[in-house]
Amino acid sequence: MLYLHPLFQSLMFILCLYAFYLGFARFKSLHLHQKAKFQRKRHALFGLIGLAGFLGGMAGGSIIGGIYKLDPLIGELHEAAGAVMAVLMIFALATGLIQYLKPKPRKLMPALHALANLIVLILFFVQVYSGVGILNRAA
């Protein structure tokens, strides 16, 4: 059960990475002035599932940490990066929802939405690094 959290979060990372890939088409058309087909519904679906899953996985990780009585001090970096990720994911979900429900030409909001998601994807590697340390100490 200890490995359920990292496996689930890895799956959510893959879904978010795919959503990010789909969103790159929009970035190319808005900011690089290149023709690109943006699969809006697919991007929104995979982004929603991935980000909501990440947030749910954070709750699951906290529960698993409690079950295994993991020392909170060994996970300080993991928890801090997770907290930053949670704020960015909530922001990304909110801006994504606004853009999906009220589509109109925008430049700043899509850029901030993409930046928040890019930082989340980068912080995932901090989570992997710190999570491996936690797993090694717990085993």
Side-chain angles (χ1 to χ4, degrees):
M1 187 160 144
L2 186 61
Y3 292 93
L4 187 60
H5 170 70
L7 289 173
F8 181 79
Q9 294 300 72
S10 295
L11 176 61
M12 293 306 106
F13 173 77
I14 291 167
L15 293 177
C16 286
L17 194 60
Y18 181 61
F20 194 81
Y21 167 77
L22 292 172
F24 193 69
R26 179 141 165 91
F27 175 82
K28 286 193 320 191
S29 66
L30 280 178
H31 301 288
L32 303 179
H33 307 292
Q34 297 177 6
K35 283 195 170 195
K37 183 176 186 238
F38 177 49
Q39 298 179 45
R40 188 170 172 267
K41 287 183 180 181
R42 182 175 287 188
H43 169 76
L45 176 65
F46 281 92
L48 175 64
I49 293 169
L51 290 175
F54 253 144
L55 289 168
M58 288 179 173
S62 295
I63 292 167
I64 289 172
I67 290 170
Y68 283 89
K69 301 198 183 338
L70 298 176
D71 180 2
L73 295 178
I74 67 171
E76 284 181 338
L77 175 60
H78 198 71
E79 292 172 1
V84 172
M85 288 175 75
V87 170
L88 291 171
M89 286 187 282
I90 291 167
F91 174 80
L93 284 166
T95 56
L97 188 62
I98 291 167
Q99 292 175 91
Y100 187 78
L101 294 177
K102 297 187 182 221
K104 62 181 181 179
R106 295 181 169 99
K107 284 202 176 205
L108 181 60
M109 188 181 294
L112 293 174
H113 174 78
L115 181 60
N117 283 303
L118 177 61
I119 295 168
V120 166
L121 292 175
I122 292 168
L123 285 174
F124 176 79
F125 293 103
V126 173
Q127 294 296 79
V128 169
Y129 171 77
S130 60
V132 166
I134 292 168
L135 288 174
N136 286 338
R137 289 186 190 120

